[in-house]
Amino acid sequence: MYRITLIPGDGTGPEITEAARRVLEATGVGFEWDIQNAGEDVYKEEGTPLPERVIESIKRNKVAIKGPITTPVGTGFRSVNVTLRQTLDLYSCVRPCKTYKGAKTRYEGIDLVIFRENTEDLYAGIEFQKDSEGAKAIIDTVRKISGRSIRQDSGISIKPISVFGTERIVRAAFEYARKNKRRKVTAVHKANIMKFSDGLFLEVAREVARRYPDIEFEDKIVDNMCMQLVQKPGLYDVLVLPNLYGDIVSDLAAGLVGGLGLAPGANIGDEYAVFEATHGSAPKYKGLNKVNPLAVILSGVMMLRHLGETEAADRLDNAIASVIEEGKDVTYDMKPDPDDPGAATTSGVADAIISRIT
Ligand code: NAD
């Protein structure tokens, strides 16, 4: 019996996580769900969208599955998702992008896994508003120490990339490659321009790669990588990227395999792991039993693998593949015509999968 923190989230989160809970239980693996609400409604009731009890629960259970959470604009608090990743030091964002037969996509045979660094780079949140004391101090300091001038009316975001942060994300990518019998890891960067941040990322990646002689290593400049992924996605296997490029390239890769409805994800650290779809809360569809639950269900497949339940994960993945291939019990976004009146509901997709789990 696994005790797992279940965060339904808001918007369409509760509907899709309920679908995921039902299919995960149908695999026969025993779960005890520690349900922890977070997000918009919780903010109204408890004054914070992410109460301490949610963090405590994940620390207790080590593993969580989560629905998306809306980041309200203009309320002054940071994204719950970013706070969770930082508080629990979930430094690897893992996003597999695999084509399923029958999914609406331009490509076949794609099987990529993206490792995005989750804690540093331009996402570290170290920013200085135009005309602020901080921005002025940085402009002065840069002038003094390098003789370079930054325009006075600039806003500034800092891009820290460390040996520590790079070493652990590249190691995570190689460990994954070894464990899952992957052939190649590609480090993606812009080291030709940002020599001391991306250059360091590349240097550390090369050093880590030497410890894994059984796995091929190469590096690619991020702009070239984007073109290559569109032209020859089959050439790539595991990609490891700093935070910003990882964010952008993982959406590009999700687009290659059929869109956000099919893009699962995991945020993993040394102690805790939180599994969630790549997409957001799609609030306009809230309560309609309409959106695609497959991304969060596929995140559940990743969770089963993380728990060591490989056989149950394979059975669930096969049931999902069979539903997609048949193309009948899929939601509107996966139908050739999105207005198809025969599109399945969120709960209908879960029922179809459950009926096929062997
Ligand atoms: P979104 O992913 O919620 O929705 C964008 C569009 O994608 C939707 O309008 C819908 O057409 C489609 N879509 C998304 N999920 C779908 C699904 N399961 N099935 C079918 N179609 C789907 O992105 P957004 O509108 O930019 O963000 C809405 C809110 O979600 C924002 O507040 C954002 O901050 C938040 N968000 C949360 C997370 C997270 O919790 N990890 C991630 C991204 C965005």
Side-chain angles (χ1 to χ4, degrees):
M1 180 74 82
Y2 296 100
R3 197 172 157 80
I4 306 284
T5 301
L6 173 66
I7 304 171
D10 55 34
T12 52
E15 302 155 47
I16 58 177
T17 47
E18 174 60 10
R21 185 191 63 76
R22 288 202 292 126
V23 299
L24 283 164
E25 287 182 357
T27 62
V29 173
F31 290 107
E32 192 189 322
W33 305 104
D34 181 0
I35 296 175
Q36 296 287 338
N37 290 315
E40 261 183 338
D41 293 345
V42 171
Y43 175 64
K44 285 179 207 141
E45 285 158 21
E46 302 182 42
T48 165
L50 182 64
E52 197 47 37
R53 58 174 168 74
V54 183
I55 305 275
E56 293 296 316
S57 164
I58 301 174
K59 287 189 172 166
R60 239 185 353 259
N61 299 323
K62 314 279 188 215
V63 177
I65 186 159
K66 156 181 181 301
I69 292 179
T70 307
T71 305
V73 179
T75 50
F77 61 78
R78 294 191 67 192
S79 149
V80 168
N81 310 301
V82 173
T83 310
L84 258 185
R85 287 167 203 163
Q86 289 183 348
T87 311
L88 299 171
D89 198 21
L90 306 172
Y91 61 84
S92 305
C93 179
V94 187
R95 290 182 174 169
C97 293
K98 180 168 100 166
T99 34
Y100 283 88
K101 220 182 235 167
K104 257 194 316 189
T105 155
R106 291 171 193 275
Y107 300 90
E108 278 170 20
I110 298 177
D111 188 5
L112 293 165
V113 182
I114 294 180
F115 277 74
R116 163 189 171 192
E117 203 288 326
N118 236 351
T119 65
E120 14 186 67
D121 194 358
L122 283 162
Y123 280 60
I126 309 167
E127 299 202 285
F128 299 92
Q129 199 172 6
K130 173 177 85 70
D131 299 329
S132 65
E133 285 307 311
K136 284 184 199 152
I138 288 174
I139 292 168
D140 282 349
T141 307
V142 169
R143 189 183 314 107
K144 276 187 207 127
I145 61 180
S146 72
R148 306 289 296 271
S149 64
I150 299 174
R151 288 190 185 99
Q152 283 299 331
D153 57 354
S154 298
I156 297 173
S157 301
I158 304 277
K159 173 176 163 129
I161 290 198
S162 68
V163 173
F164 175 83
T166 306
E167 206 271 340
R168 64 180 183 172
I169 187 70
V170 178
R171 188 163 23 91
F174 272 99
E175 286 295 327
Y176 176 93
R178 190 174 265 175
K179 199 167 154 214
N180 293 279
K181 306 199 168 27
R182 296 283 184 150
R183 65 191 158 84
K184 181 165 83 171
V185 172
T186 306
V188 184
H189 59 85
K190 189 85 189 173
N192 51 332
I193 304 295
M194 282 161 278
K195 296 187 193 310
F196 301 130
S197 48
D198 286 27
L200 184 63
F201 182 87
L202 176 58
E203 189 186 315
V204 174
R206 284 185 174 140
E207 255 172 54
V208 173
R210 276 187 218 110
R211 288 180 238 152
Y212 296 86
D214 47 322
I215 295 156
E216 190 188 332
F217 174 73
E218 64 173 7
D219 71 275
K220 284 271 177 294
I221 293 175
V222 62
D223 38 357
N224 181 24
M225 186 77 244
C226 290
M227 188 196 67
Q228 297 264 330
L229 281 176
V230 172
Q231 286 198 321
K232 309 174 227 176
L235 291 184
Y236 298 94
D237 191 355
V238 176
L239 307 182
V240 60
L241 311 91
N243 208 335
L244 176 64
Y245 311 143
D247 190 16
I248 298 167
V249 171
S250 47
D251 266 36
L252 187 156
L256 294 177
V257 299
L260 283 176
L262 273 175
N267 296 292
I268 300 181
D270 290 332
E271 287 189 75
Y272 314 112
V274 177
F275 296 83
E276 64 175 335
T278 298
H279 63 71
S281 54
K284 69 180 175 194
Y285 296 116
K286 177 179 177 176
L288 301 181
N289 195 22
K290 181 176 166 94
V291 296
N292 194 345
L294 285 177
V296 71
I297 293 175
L298 288 165
S299 307
V301 174
M302 293 176 77
M303 183 179 86
L304 287 171
R305 296 197 195 286
H306 178 83
L307 294 170
E309 295 288 345
T310 312
E311 184 267 338
D314 289 343
R315 282 190 289 119
L316 177 52
D317 199 29
N318 289 340
I320 296 167
S322 141
V323 167
I324 297 174
E325 184 167 6
E326 193 192 58
K328 186 168 75 64
D329 297 309
V330 295
T331 44
Y332 70 100
D333 53 307
M334 294 187 68
K335 291 283 187 187
D337 170 13
D339 296 323
D340 185 339
T345 58
T346 307
S347 53
V349 174
D351 293 337
I353 294 171
I354 291 168
S355 72
R356 286 160 202 245
I357 295 177
T358 48

